[in-house]
Amino acid sequence: MYILYGILALIIMIIIHEFGHFIVAVLSGVKVERFSIGFGPVLFKKQTKITEFAFSAIPLGGYVKMKGEEPNSVDENDKEGAFYAQNVYKRMLIVFAGPFFNILSAVFFFAVAYYIGIQALAPQVGKVIKDSPAYYAHLQPKDKIIKINNISVGTWEDMSKIIKTNDNLNLVIKRDGKLMNLHIKPKSEIVKNLLGYKEKINVIGILPSGETTIVKYPLFKSLYAGVEKTVYIIKVTLEGIVSLIAGLIPSSEVGGPIMIVDIASKAAQAGLGSFLIFASIISINLGLLNLFPIPVLDGGHLMFFTIEAIRKKPVSEKFQIAAQKIGIGLLIALMIFAFYNDIKRFFIPKTTSTTQSVIKK
């Protein structure tokens, strides 16, 4: 059942992306001939007066087919509702709408998750590291941190953000039902973050207890949190891509559809809030990936349209076809690599050190 939730998350993100293209095309007066989710054998289709809606067996993508999509496919006597009969800026808007809707939907999903409540680590001490600033300040396991520098903390993440960036900390903690005040001067450490970059942060030497809390925000605060979290994920994702290209993150970390379904299914088990958070992250990644200037992706089309806007004439059809072939090749190679990593990660058992030593002998 949870695996189905994972597949559903992927399908929802694709529908949102394609709906962005669809609705902006319709509002721009472009005739949409087909709205398809998935590839392969068609499982369901519905023909309306103008558009055929289809759902196919392999839900790993989708497309919106518009009238007159190719540069030279517009008949002079039948330009009404044709994509290439529109000015270049309107075409750019239609293409950009898909990724934009993915990012916009992430804001909405984040906001809903924070409104209904998400599970997060509580700011409760699980272990105090010996000879650390927290140890000398007499912080103890099971102490719950209520405020730092007069700022209320509801989660371990809230607490960590304040500690990392402040040189002096005034804590209000709860111990055995009583409130106490402690002063701690953190020490600085240079650590590698998840993206492989070195950064200087302040630490006090504590580990979480593993206790969780439910974080719920009122409507307007949840909307603000949705925007803030979306901006943060976009930033981290772009930094992650740069780190991957620079070799700071191993290529084995690249995942494909199987990994997405696996993580989404686990998120679904943790509750609707966690599922929506993961769906938001996938939606942002889908939107950003499609904005890459690779022919056949939305970013590739936007690149051609930008050149057209500057040159005042379209890029030659011959060049576009050649570039699209290269783009398709790159995408197929990326998909094969992602599937390879997924198969290796989930279906090939890892060799233990004992087994490896026997093999060597």
Side-chain angles (χ1 to χ4, degrees):
M1 189 64 189
Y2 289 120
I3 291 172
L4 291 177
Y5 286 145
I7 295 170
L8 180 64
L10 198 57
I11 292 171
I12 289 171
M13 296 310 106
I14 294 167
I15 290 173
I16 289 169
H17 180 91
E18 299 305 334
F19 180 75
H21 294 310
F22 172 79
I23 193 65
V24 175
V26 170
L27 292 174
S28 300
V30 175
K31 181 181 177 182
V32 178
E33 298 174 341
R34 198 170 205 237
F35 183 112
S36 178
I37 300 301
F39 302 101
V42 176
L43 301 179
F44 167 82
K45 64 179 179 179
K46 173 72 175 177
Q47 180 67 54
T48 64
K49 188 177 179 181
I50 298 173
T51 308
E52 180 188 72
F53 294 89
F55 186 86
S56 299
I58 307 170
L60 296 180
Y63 63 92
V64 168
K65 185 178 183 300
M66 293 171 279
K67 176 183 175 182
E69 281 189 1
E70 303 303 322
N72 297 320
S73 64
V74 183
D75 193 304
E76 286 295 322
N77 301 317
D78 189 26
K79 283 188 173 183
E80 187 179 353
F83 177 72
Y84 256 95
Q86 313 303 315
N87 67 61
V88 67
Y89 300 106
K90 194 177 283 189
R91 281 179 272 141
M92 289 174 78
L93 188 63
I94 293 169
V95 170
F96 179 72
F100 177 73
F101 266 57
N102 278 129
I103 292 168
L104 194 64
S105 68
V107 174
F108 173 76
F109 288 137
F110 273 130
V112 172
Y114 282 112
Y115 184 72
I116 65 174
I118 61 168
Q119 199 174 61
L121 273 177
Q124 186 179 58
V125 179
K127 182 182 178 181
V128 179
I129 297 169
K130 192 175 180 181
D131 297 329
S132 66
Y135 177 84
Y136 291 117
H138 306 295
L139 205 59
Q140 297 177 11
K142 295 188 179 179
D143 284 350
K144 186 175 182 181
I145 297 168
I146 308 298
K147 287 184 179 181
I148 303 179
N149 294 350
N150 289 321
I151 301 171
S152 296
V153 292
T155 67
W156 188 269
E157 184 183 4
D158 292 341
M159 182 196 70
S160 297
K161 285 179 180 177
I162 299 171
I163 292 172
K164 284 178 181 179
T165 56
N166 284 274
D167 296 327
N168 285 287
L169 305 170
N170 292 303
L171 279 67
V172 176
I173 66 166
K174 183 181 275 189
R175 180 184 297 168
D176 298 326
K178 296 178 182 178
L179 294 179
M180 297 176 60
N181 292 288
L182 292 177
H183 176 77
I184 301 178
K185 186 170 178 61
K187 67 175 182 179
S188 295
E189 284 188 0
I190 295 176
V191 298
K192 272 190 176 183
N193 61 22
L194 292 173
L195 302 175
Y197 293 114
K198 289 181 179 179
E199 61 177 352
K200 188 178 181 180
I201 61 169
N202 291 332
V203 297
I204 62 174
I206 56 173
L207 298 174
S209 66
E211 289 292 318
T212 58
T213 185
I214 300 297
V215 179
K216 290 181 76 171
Y217 294 150
L219 180 61
F220 289 108
K221 190 175 180 181
S222 66
L223 287 170
Y224 176 79
V227 173
E228 188 179 46
K229 198 74 174 176
T230 299
V231 171
Y232 172 74
I233 296 297
I234 290 172
K235 177 176 174 289
V236 169
T237 301
L238 292 175
E239 287 177 351
I241 292 166
V242 172
S243 297
L244 189 65
I245 294 169
L248 296 172
I249 296 176
S251 58
S252 58
E253 293 298 309
V254 175
I258 299 173
M259 184 178 176
I260 292 171
V261 170
D262 176 69
I263 298 175
S265 65
K266 289 173 182 173
Q269 293 179 56
L272 180 59
S274 296
F275 178 75
L276 289 172
I277 292 288
F278 178 74
S280 301
I281 294 169
I282 291 300
S283 195
I284 291 168
N285 276 265
L286 183 62
L288 291 178
L289 177 65
N290 270 279
L291 285 174
F292 279 24
I294 299 173
V296 309
L297 291 181
D298 295 331
H301 292 299
L302 288 172
M303 178 179 66
F304 290 142
F305 293 154
T306 302
I307 295 170
E308 179 182 341
I310 295 169
R311 296 173 69 228
K312 306 298 181 185
K313 63 178 182 178
V315 177
S316 71
E317 190 174 358
K318 186 177 178 181
F319 178 80
Q320 286 193 47
I321 292 170
Q324 285 174 356
K325 286 179 180 177
I326 295 170
I328 290 170
L330 287 171
L331 283 181
I332 290 173
L334 181 60
M335 285 180 67
I336 291 171
F337 182 68
F339 269 114
Y340 168 76
N341 277 352
D342 279 355
I343 292 166
K344 190 177 177 182
R345 186 180 288 112
F346 294 104
F347 301 108
I348 299 175
K350 292 181 180 178
T351 308
T352 62
S353 57
T354 306
T355 307
Q356 287 173 343
S357 63
V358 170
I359 292 169
K360 287 178 182 177
K361 289 177 183 178

